[in-house]
Amino acid sequence: MDELTERWRDAARAAGATDPAGVERAGTRLLAGWREPHRHYHTVTHLRAVLDVVDAYAGSARRPDLVRLAAWCHDAVYDPRAGGDANERASAELAGDLLTAAGLPAAAVTGVRRLVLLTAGHAVGPDDPDGALLCDADLAVLAAPPAEYDRYAAAVRREYAHVPDPGFRAGRAAVLANLLALPALYRLPEPHARWEPRARANLTRELATLR
């Protein structure tokens, strides 16, 4: 049994999915997306890393089952040529379709869609532990050791190989500056204490190379 497939099934069941065939179809569609050949960072490796962080801090969430489903869906659509928050909006729409077909309650589907959309800007309200958990997990790579962070940044550049260097440098610098402008990159107490300083150091170091 594929480990990721089993994790998907467990998450869907925990959230109240009632259509086993729909669960299987959704899992197949999601994994196919995560394995698209144009992805270099937004791959199953990233998916697994996000799920691992969600599992590690699941006790902080009100609905960890929905956070797990949102982790599965948050980069379900990933087109490096899309602008703005188009990928997040398309991923949320796909999540709604797949989860509805899997028999999830409407409120759960709405909750997952909301969480997916949060990953566009990673701006989380003060009373949103589910959003905090998902966004902290999505941004965990920023706090990696410098060599691992550099591999992440290089993989992102490969995803944008179609963008000439001046345009990429400007766009990437804007992304990094927006992240650094967040009041906190990590909202949960332990990730904030453990990861915030190194993440900001990594972002600042990369930003300096782009200007």
Side-chain angles (χ1 to χ4, degrees):
M1 179 65 64
D2 177 81
E3 171 255 347
L4 276 174
T5 298
E6 192 58 34
R7 290 176 83 168
W8 163 254
R9 290 171 179 164
D10 289 346
R13 291 187 196 111
T18 58
D19 186 332
V23 170
E24 294 304 309
R25 287 192 296 271
T28 298
R29 168 60 184 86
L30 290 169
L31 281 173
W34 285 99
R35 289 169 173 156
E36 290 169 334
H38 67 269
R39 298 177 183 235
H40 298 280
Y41 170 67
H42 295 87
T43 66
V44 291
T45 299
H46 172 58
L47 169 61
R48 186 177 284 109
V50 172
L51 289 170
D52 287 347
V53 174
V54 172
D55 286 350
Y57 295 101
S60 70
R62 294 190 181 112
R63 291 292 304 271
D65 52 336
L66 300 190
V67 180
R68 289 187 179 95
L69 292 182
W72 272 92
C73 296
H74 81 285
D75 284 323
V77 177
Y78 185 72
D79 177 4
R81 297 177 185 271
D85 63 353
N87 283 321
E88 289 82 6
R89 287 187 287 105
S91 294
E93 183 175 351
L94 178 63
D97 292 343
L98 294 177
L99 297 177
T100 298
L104 260 76
V109 174
T110 298
V112 172
R113 285 174 51 89
R114 182 190 73 83
L115 290 168
V116 170
L117 290 171
L118 284 179
T119 63
H122 299 95
V124 180
D127 186 29
D128 186 3
D130 294 352
L133 176 56
L134 178 64
C135 289
D136 282 10
D138 192 31
L139 296 181
V141 67
L142 303 182
E148 183 179 341
Y149 179 92
D150 291 346
R151 288 192 292 272
Y152 144 73
V156 170
R157 181 65 182 104
R158 289 196 297 276
E159 291 181 339
Y160 287 86
H162 60 282
V163 179
D165 198 53
F168 177 80
R169 292 167 70 89
R172 180 67 177 168
V175 169
L176 300 184
N178 287 338
L179 287 169
L180 285 167
L182 289 172
L185 292 165
Y186 306 105
R187 287 78 171 183
L188 300 179
E190 186 176 341
H192 181 79
R194 292 178 55 200
W195 299 344
E196 188 85 11
R198 185 158 61 188
R200 290 192 174 273
N202 280 331
L203 291 169
T204 301
R205 179 172 58 85
E206 185 188 357
L207 184 58
T209 71
L210 299 171
R211 290 176 167 171

